[in-house]
């Protein structure tokens, strides 16, 4: 079967994400049986310009963030977020599921350098997760 350039590009992206996710699991570890959080499996935090750029399981491309952010908006608590992400009350007045992190590199495996997310504890978790940090991307207006 011959794939078009766009299809090959998408397959390459998916394969690259799978390899990087496995590398992340080995480097960082996780509490999951397979070492990869549900949020990583769903592509939360990946840069995007449209829904089609997100892995098949990521709900939407959040274009209010520079270079986009594959993820979930309008969460009411961590129960609305894939495991490995948390519901954050953003300063734009909306709630988003952002990846949880320990260090900045964990946030940027699939983000360009000019739109890196910041791993910060200076966020308001809707469920009040004390001591946690989240990968917060820059707003598109920043």
């Amino acid at each position: 079967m011959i794939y078009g350039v766009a299809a090959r590009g998408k397959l390459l992206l998916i394969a690259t994400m799978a390899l990087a996710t496995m590398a992340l699991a080995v480097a960082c570890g996780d509490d999951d049986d397979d070492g990869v959080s549900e949020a990583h499996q769903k592509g939360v935090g990946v840069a995007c310009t449209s829904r089609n750029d997100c892995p098949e399981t990521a709900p939407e491309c959040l274009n209010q963030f520079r270079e986009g952010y594959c993820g979930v908006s309008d969460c009411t608590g961590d129960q609305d977020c894939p495991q490995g992400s948390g519901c954050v009350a953003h300063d734009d007045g909306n709630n988003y599921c952002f990846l949880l992190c320990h260090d900045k590199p964990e946030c940027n495996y699939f983000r360009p350098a000019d739109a890196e997310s910041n791993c910060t504890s200076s966020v308001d978790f809707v469920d009040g997760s004390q001591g946690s940090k989240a990968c917060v991307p820059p707003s598109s207006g920043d």
Side-chain angles (χ1 to χ4, degrees):
M1 177 178 271
I2 298 174
Y3 292 102
V5 173
R8 282 193 305 261
K10 191 168 186 174
L11 288 173
L12 181 60
L13 173 65
I14 291 169
T16 302
M17 287 180 60
L19 289 172
T21 300
M22 289 186 318
L24 176 64
V26 171
C28 299
D30 200 325
D31 292 336
D32 289 343
D33 292 335
D34 61 2
V36 180
S37 75
E38 179 185 6
H40 283 107
Q41 291 171 359
K42 291 184 179 273
V44 174
V46 172
C48 57
T49 57
S50 74
R51 169 65 187 92
N52 291 334
D53 294 335
C54 297
E56 296 297 324
T57 56
E60 58 190 304
C61 179
L62 306 172
N63 288 310
Q64 55 271 50
F65 301 105
R66 190 179 316 148
E67 299 293 330
Y69 190 93
C70 293
V72 179
S73 62
D74 301 323
C75 54
T76 59
D78 290 347
Q79 75 279 355
D80 296 334
C81 301
Q83 184 275 325
S85 63
C87 186
V88 172
H90 194 265
D91 59 12
D92 70 2
N94 296 302
N95 294 348
Y96 304 101
C97 296
F98 288 144
L99 282 177
L100 298 177
C101 57
H102 297 289
D103 297 301
K104 186 173 180 175
E106 294 173 72
C107 301
N108 295 298
Y109 289 108
F110 302 108
R111 300 200 58 77
D114 66 338
E116 286 186 337
S117 292
N118 207 11
C119 181
T120 181
S121 60
S122 298
V123 293
D124 293 322
F125 285 97
V126 173
D127 288 340
S129 301
Q130 297 296 322
S132 293
K133 293 182 182 179
C135 298
V136 180
S139 297
S140 60
D142 289 348

